[in-house]
Amino acid sequence: MSLLGKAGHGPAARESGFAAHRAGVDRLLASYRAIPANANVRLAKKTSNLFRARAKNTAPGLDVSGLASVIAVDRDARTADVAGMTTYEDLVAATLPYGLAPLVVPQLKTITLGGAVTGLGIESTSFRNGLPHESVLEMDVLTGAGELITARPDGEHADLFRGFPNSYGTLGYTVRLKIELEQVEPYVALRHVRFRGLRELEAAIARIVDEKSYDGERVDYLDGVVFTADESYLTLGRQTDEPGPVSDYTGMDIYYRSIQHESAGPKRDRLTIHDYLWRWDTDWFWCSRAFGTQNPRIRRFWPKRYRRSSFYWKLVALDHKYDIGDKLEARKGNPPRERVVQDIEVPVERTADFVEWFLREIPIEPIWLCPLRLRDTGAPAAPGERAWPLYPIEPNRTYVNVGFWSAVPTVPGQQEGAANRAIERTVTEYDGHKSLYSDAFYDEDEFAALYGGETYTELKKRYDPDQRLLDLYSKAVQRK
């Protein structure tokens, strides 16, 4: 019997879930109607996983309080109906008892399904399952025009279905999403493979993505960490139902430190599927060190319930509000620091080039690597039309996401965002893209060329004709 246990959602529970969801939708629509016609429409939520400044908004926001639950799970069809504001923590908790999981589970618990679809998400299944929006079968969207529509890969609103990913709430907000799920086993067996050169690492990524195996052993999960140019790792995960001891990185042990080793062969480890999916959350990858929680003397007394990304994010929000970090640096006689919190994608054959440049120019370590390859969308497209036009990476091509999250000293006389601007130029030079959840500095023409251009303009005209929602450039670059 599966160690994941059993859970049942019969017809009565399913109907109850949809009834509660309909009540939440009614509150959402009522709140839209209450927003003054001359005010921008925004969500009435205090928390976010965005790392770019947002303008204050005094108008009432959309009431999404009833849109934060899993509506129903269909074990036989391997699908779930999910309200748009549902966190992946709650989504995974609802699906794992069936031995199922979303095709891609972003690494931080409080990322919402709707947020991962409209703002993109990624994780270690992305080399075989693509990005979260590619497992969406249909979605109900409240558009800027106040209409509640259902978008699918084909039909009347197929343009919105394709254009919604990377729109960041500028075309509308997801109310319900129906997504595919996949079968998972109770455990994940890990191999941490060390590389002493970035070219060797790059070649291994390309080979594993193509073959879905390494040294004759299946690979179900794939990501990596670069500590230095001479020390990098790929972590290869394989699902298994074989019982045995497992590690726990929610206590004193720190997951990313467990990856490192000196041996020629791989270092092996095992986690439950639950702990594997959330392995990065306890320490927000390695960013918890900024708060001292990786110091054993502090960690021992830091409550477990506060060892999670959502709590660290609150600390960062306080820092942004009161400039705590810059004030501390000033007391030491140091200049303010520039926040460099980004995820970018470059083609796999440019990965070593980019990482070498980054390690040379931007003093941040470690950095995260996550290979990805788009799935076959199944959506009809005219010749030359991008399947996902607002984030137009190419089908049938392997990319590698590079994530780096820290801050660097500013240099007197340099323009604002000097390090981020250099990263943007280099990513474009290497035929890549960067995510828009953090600071961006593109000029308007370059931004349009990279993120949808005329396609986005036409979508905006159709689904938000009165400009009730901010446009993507205003939101992502101008921080409105």
Side-chain angles (χ1 to χ4, degrees), residues 191-207:
R191 287 177 291 167
H192 304 303
V193 182
R194 178 166 179 166
F195 296 88
R196 301 180 187 275
L198 294 172
R199 302 289 162 179
E200 181 188 9
L201 173 75
E202 176 184 285
I205 291 173
R207 187 167 63 252

Side-chain angles (χ1 to χ4, degrees), residues 14 18 69-73 79-83 138 176-178:
R14 183 178 178 87
F18 273 99
S69 63
V70 178
I71 303 165
V73 176
T79 62
D81 287 276
V82 187
E138 65 178 26
R176 176 192 63 91
L177 304 99
K178 186 172 186 176

Side-chain angles (χ1 to χ4, degrees), residues 109-357:
K109 292 179 177 179
T110 54
I111 293 174
T112 63
L113 177 59
V117 169
T118 193
L120 305 184
I122 193 170
E123 234 295 314
S124 59
T125 56
S126 289
F127 78 105
R128 59 184 176 86
N129 287 340
L131 302 175
H133 60 267
E134 297 186 276
S135 61
V136 175
L137 300 171
E138 65 178 26
M139 53 186 168
D140 296 339
V141 178
L142 176 64
T143 69
E147 299 177 322
L148 189 62
I149 67 170
T150 300
R152 300 184 178 90
D154 52 15
E156 182 182 2
H157 302 295
D159 58 344
L160 182 62
F161 186 90
R162 292 194 299 270
F164 198 79
N166 210 46
S167 63
Y168 278 90
T170 65
L171 299 174
Y173 295 102
T174 49
V175 174
R176 176 192 63 91
L177 304 99
K178 186 172 186 176
I179 63 169
E180 298 176 67
L181 304 172
E182 69 175 6
Q183 185 103 29
V184 292
E185 298 291 350
Y187 305 106
V188 179
L190 301 179
R191 287 177 291 167
H192 304 303
V193 182
R194 178 166 179 166
F195 296 88
R196 301 180 187 275
L198 294 172
R199 302 289 162 179
E200 181 188 9
L201 173 75
E202 176 184 285
I205 291 173
R207 187 167 63 252
I208 294 167
V209 171
D210 286 342
E211 299 176 0
K212 308 296 187 294
S213 66
Y214 182 80
D215 279 354
E217 189 173 331
R218 190 182 75 247
V219 176
D220 299 315
Y221 303 97
L222 173 63
D223 67 347
V225 178
V226 176
F227 291 90
T228 69
D230 301 321
E231 184 189 3
S232 57
Y233 300 85
L234 291 179
T235 294
L236 318 177
R238 175 178 57 83
Q239 294 185 26
T240 178
D241 62 357
E242 300 167 6
V246 293
S247 297
D248 179 3
Y249 296 106
T250 63
M252 294 299 294
D253 294 332
I254 298 168
Y255 174 71
Y256 87 98
R257 288 299 182 192
S258 75
I259 294 171
Q260 294 181 278
H261 63 89
E262 292 289 343
S263 60
K267 179 181 179 181
R268 293 188 176 263
D269 198 358
R270 282 168 51 89
L271 293 171
T272 65
I273 180 63
H274 175 276
D275 286 356
Y276 175 79
L277 293 176
W278 303 129
R279 68 202 181 283
W280 291 120
D281 191 83
T282 299
D283 285 287
W284 209 7
F285 285 83
W286 33 81
C287 297
S288 67
R289 64 186 178 183
F291 311 112
T293 57
Q294 293 182 25
N295 182 323
R297 289 173 294 181
I298 296 175
R299 193 178 186 88
R300 186 172 291 109
F301 297 104
W302 192 290
K304 261 194 173 185
R305 67 183 180 276
Y306 295 142
R307 282 186 223 150
R308 53 182 286 142
S309 60
S310 55
F311 184 72
Y312 303 136
W313 196 97
K314 291 178 182 177
L315 298 180
V316 170
L318 286 173
D319 175 52
H320 292 170
K321 184 175 182 180
Y322 297 109
D323 295 324
I324 297 170
D326 285 348
K327 290 175 181 175
L328 291 174
E329 291 296 325
R331 291 180 64 179
K332 301 175 186 176
N334 296 329
R337 295 175 68 82
E338 177 186 349
R339 184 177 58 192
V340 182
V341 179
Q342 305 285 354
D343 277 77
I344 65 93
E345 274 97 29
V346 291
V348 65
E349 67 271 16
R350 302 310 302 268
T351 302
D353 292 335
F354 178 82
V355 173
E356 286 172 349
W357 174 88

